[in-house]
Amino acid sequence: MSQYDVIIIGAGPGGYVSAIRCAQLGMKTALVDGRETLGGTCLNVGCIPSKALLHATHMLHEAEHNFAAMGLKGKSPSVDWKQMKSYKTDVVTQNTGGIEFLLKKNKIDWIKGYASKVAAGKVKVGDTEYDTKNVVIASGSVPSTLLGVKVDNDKGVVVDSTGALDLPKVPKKLTVIGAGVIGLELGSVYARLGAEVTVVEYMDAICSGMDADVQRSFKRILEKQGLKFVMGAAVSSVDTTKTKAKVNYTLKKSPDEEQTLDADVVLVATGRKPFHDGLGLEAAGVKLTKRGQIATDDRWQTNVSGIYAIGDVIEGPMLAHKAEDEGMAVAEVIAGKHGHVNYSLIPGVVYTTPEVATVGTTEAELKAEGKKPKIGKFMFMGNARAKAVHQGDGFVKLIVDKETDRVLGAAIIGPAAGDMIHEICVAMEFGASAQDIAMTCHAHPTYSEAVREAALACGDGAIHA
Ligand code: FAD
C-alpha cells in the first residue's frame, strides 16, 4: 500500500494539470483514470478531436470557396472521411501520449482504473485501497440527456458529441438539437462536408448568454454557410428506424401544432452534466449542489476536510481552461500557498469560422444593472489582414466603463478571435482602460489591430472606420 500526499481522480485537463502542479510543488502524487488514454473528455472526445475536424473541414471550405479567387486553380479535394478520422485519431494520440510523458517526467503514478470509493484519507481502485493525505475529485462531466430522446452512439442514428465525432459516414441530413458551442462546432464540420444541417433550438437566440450583437451576427454568418435554424422549438421525441430519424417538436409560438424534421443523424447537443457516479460520495458525506455538482468552498474543498473537487464536476463554466486553472490553484492550496482563479475573466470561445470569443461582462448585463457602458466597435471589413484572407465578416466590441474608461468586457467575432481575446484578458487583469489598449502600438497588418481600433473607437474614433 502506498501513502500519497495527493490522489487525484480523473485525468482530464483539471486532474492532470493539478497532478503536475502537485508534483512540481514536491507532493507524492497519483492520478486515477480508467480510460485507455489520459486527457479526459477534452483530449479524447472533446476539445481536441473537434478542433482537428474543424481544421480539416475549414481547409476543405477554403479550397472549395476561396482558392480559385487567389489563383489556386484545379480540382478541389474530395473527402476521404476514413482518412480524416484517422488524422483526428493521430492528433488525439499525440496529445494523450504527451500527457503520459509529462506524468512520467514529473514522477506521478497513473493508477489505471476507476475509483469506486472515496473517503477522507482513502481512495479505492479495484481491490486496492490507497492511503492519501488529500483527495482531489476531477471526474468531469458527461453529455446531458433529453427526455423522450434515446442516444445510441453504436447505432449512429441518434448520437451525442462522442458519437458525432466518429460517425461511420457523413450524413446527408443532420439535425442538431441545441445551438450551443458543441452543436454549432460539430454542425459546422458536417455542413462543410456537404451535409444538410438543421439546428433546432429552444431559445430565441443561439449561444445562450452571449453578447446579443454577436448572437445575431454569428447566426447570420452560419446561415450564409448553409446551416438552417429552427428557433423557439421544443423537441418532444425522436422516432428512429435502423438508418433514419424523425425529430418531433413544437414551436413556442404554436405549441399545439406538432412539427417534424427528417434526418439521417440526430446530434443531441443540449449541454453536459457533472459526473461523479460510483465514487460513493453519499457514504463519504460529500455534499452536492441542487444542480448535482460537488459543492466546494472558495478553496475548492468540499464539506469533508481533505476532499477537494475541481473542473466540470463543480460549479462554473464547463471549459477545459477553467478546469486547468482550478487544477493549479487547488494544488497550491493543498501545498499551503494561495491558489487563485479569477472567475470574472474566463474567456469563452467557439472555434467555427469565423471564431467567436467573449470575456467579462456583456452590454446587456450592465444595462440590467442600470449602467450605461461605452461601446467601442470595429468591423473586420476595415482590417486589411482580415480582408486579405477573405475573413472580413465580424467585429471587435469592447464594453467599457463610461466614467473610468476601464475595460469591463469584450466580444469578438472574426478571424483568430480565440487567440485575440487574450490581449483583452491581460488588459482586464491589469485593470487597463480602453485608452491603454489604444495607445499600445499594434503590428501591421494583424487581426489584433481591430482590437486597437475598437479601443480607439471608445475615444476620439477608430481610424479605419
Ligand atoms: P473531464 O475532461 O471530463 O475528465 C474527467 C475524467 O475523469 C475522465 O477521463 C473520466 O474517465 C475520469 N473519471 C470519471 N470518474 C472516474 C472515477 N470514478 N475514477 C477515475 N476516473 C474517473 N472546452 C474548452 O475549453 N474548449 C473547447 O474547445 C471544448 N470543446 C469541447 C468539445 C466537445 C465535443 C466536448 C464534449 C467538450 C468540449 N469542451 C471544451 C469541454 C471540455 O472538454 C471540458 O470542460 C473539460 O474536459 C473538463 O475537464 P475535467 O478535467 O473537469 O473533466
Side-chain angles (χ1 to χ4, degrees):
M1 186 180 300
S2 310
Q3 166 72 54
Y4 288 100
D5 291 314
V6 194
I7 293 185
I8 296 160
I9 299 168
Y16 85 72
V17 166
S18 191
I20 292 171
R21 179 57 100 227
C22 284
Q24 286 170 337
L25 293 172
M27 290 182 262
K28 187 166 162 42
T29 308
L31 184 61
V32 187
D33 204 312
R35 265 183 209 273
E36 274 313 302
T37 47
L38 297 163
T41 303
C42 173
L43 269 65
N44 290 285
V45 288
C47 324
I48 300 305
S50 57
K51 266 76 253 177
L53 291 182
L54 279 159
H55 174 69
T57 54
H58 173 62
M59 293 289 114
L60 175 68
H61 181 272
E62 287 296 284
E64 285 173 346
H65 298 272
N66 293 328
F67 272 19
M70 293 186 287
L72 299 167
K73 302 223 165 145
K75 253 175 83 187
S76 64
S78 62
V79 175
D80 179 343
W81 177 230
K82 213 169 139 207
Q83 175 59 29
M84 196 180 283
K85 287 202 296 180
S86 123
Y87 147 74
K88 177 205 68 178
T89 305
D90 272 359
V91 172
V92 168
T93 309
Q94 279 174 36
N95 280 282
T96 55
I99 307 303
E100 204 169 330
F101 164 80
L102 289 175
L103 290 202
K104 283 190 190 128
K105 183 180 159 200
N106 287 284
K107 301 190 172 44
I108 298 162
D109 292 341
W110 174 10
I111 302 173
K112 203 165 178 176
Y114 289 101
S116 58
K117 201 167 120 196
V118 174
K122 299 236 177 280
V123 171
K124 193 174 175 201
V125 185
D127 294 330
T128 314
E129 199 162 72
Y130 297 88
D131 283 338
T132 178
K133 291 182 193 147
N134 301 281
V135 179
V136 178
I137 302 173
S139 49
S141 62
V142 289
S144 301
T145 45
L146 190 61
L147 206 68
V149 184
K150 192 173 174 298
V151 167
D152 185 344
N153 286 334
D154 289 336
K155 235 174 113 186
V157 178
V158 182
V159 297
D160 59 22
S161 57
T162 303
L165 287 166
D166 203 21
L167 290 178
K169 60 178 189 200
V170 176
K172 281 205 175 78
K173 279 187 179 182
L174 171 71
T175 297
V176 180
I177 307 177
V181 177
I182 293 175
L184 296 181
E185 287 186 355
L186 293 174
S188 284
V189 163
Y190 286 103
R192 292 170 190 165
L193 289 169
E196 196 182 296
V197 177
T198 306
V199 183
V200 184
E201 167 59 51
Y202 181 73
M203 306 296 281
D204 298 320
I206 65 170
C207 294
S208 174
M210 203 179 258
D211 179 274
D213 272 352
V214 171
Q215 286 175 328
R216 278 189 296 271
S217 170
F218 190 26
K219 182 162 171 275
R220 212 176 315 120
I221 291 169
L222 291 174
E223 278 166 342
K224 264 205 293 188
Q225 292 174 5
L227 277 83
K228 292 190 186 119
F229 289 89
V230 183
M231 305 303 292
V235 172
S236 52
S237 60
V238 176
D239 302 325
T240 55
T241 64
K242 222 170 159 191
T243 53
K244 298 256 180 243
K246 192 172 273 202
V247 178
N248 305 309
Y249 67 95
T250 51
L251 291 175
K252 280 195 270 180
K253 58 182 183 201
S254 51
D256 298 328
E257 241 176 84
E258 185 150 274
Q259 322 250 1
T260 58
L261 260 173
D262 292 325
D264 301 303
V265 174
V266 176
L267 162 59
V268 182
T270 47
R272 296 179 64 80
K273 58 181 181 190
F275 179 80
H276 41 67
D277 290 4
L279 286 174
L281 295 187
E282 207 178 317
V286 174
K287 283 196 181 139
L288 303 182
T289 66
K290 278 186 195 139
R291 300 179 63 197
Q293 299 133 326
I294 297 179
T296 56
D297 62 17
D298 57 4
R299 291 158 58 83
W300 303 279
Q301 186 159 233
T302 67
N303 59 306
V304 178
S305 176
I307 302 185
Y308 298 81
I310 56 165
D312 277 12
V313 80
I314 70 166
E315 268 180 303
M318 287 184 165
L319 293 169
H321 40 286
K322 177 260 193 188
E324 289 183 30
D325 276 26
E326 288 174 345
M328 284 189 276
V330 78
E332 280 153 20
V333 165
I334 293 170
K337 293 168 173 270
H338 296 283
H340 175 70
V341 176
N342 183 352
Y343 285 101
S344 58
L345 273 183
I346 295 176
V349 180
V350 194
Y351 296 86
T352 42
T353 303
E355 290 183 353
V356 175
T358 57
V359 70
T361 320
T362 64
E363 188 181 356
E365 281 164 348
L366 287 171
K367 284 188 174 160
E369 290 170 22
K371 295 182 184 143
K372 277 200 189 131
K374 190 163 54 167
I375 304 296
K377 198 167 170 185
F378 184 78
M379 309 301 288
F380 275 103
M381 255 313 168
N383 178 273
R385 179 74 180 278
K387 275 194 298 204
V389 299
H390 307 281
Q391 289 210 51
D393 271 338
F395 54 83
V396 176
K397 176 174 173 178
L398 284 186
I399 299 121
V400 170
D401 186 284
K402 207 169 182 179
E403 266 90 61
T404 63
D405 196 39
R406 187 174 175 155
V407 181
L408 303 175
I412 307 178
I413 175 163
D419 287 290
M420 277 197 292
I421 197 73
H422 298 107
E423 168 179 5
I424 301 163
C425 294
V426 173
M428 287 173 71
E429 275 288 1
F430 284 86
S433 63
Q435 195 183 24
D436 289 326
I437 298 178
M439 286 173 68
T440 305
C441 184
H442 284 61
H444 176 75
T446 56
Y447 307 129
S448 300
E449 285 176 288
V451 174
R452 186 191 200 182
E453 292 268 24
L456 282 164
C458 293
D460 294 330
I463 301 298
H464 296 90

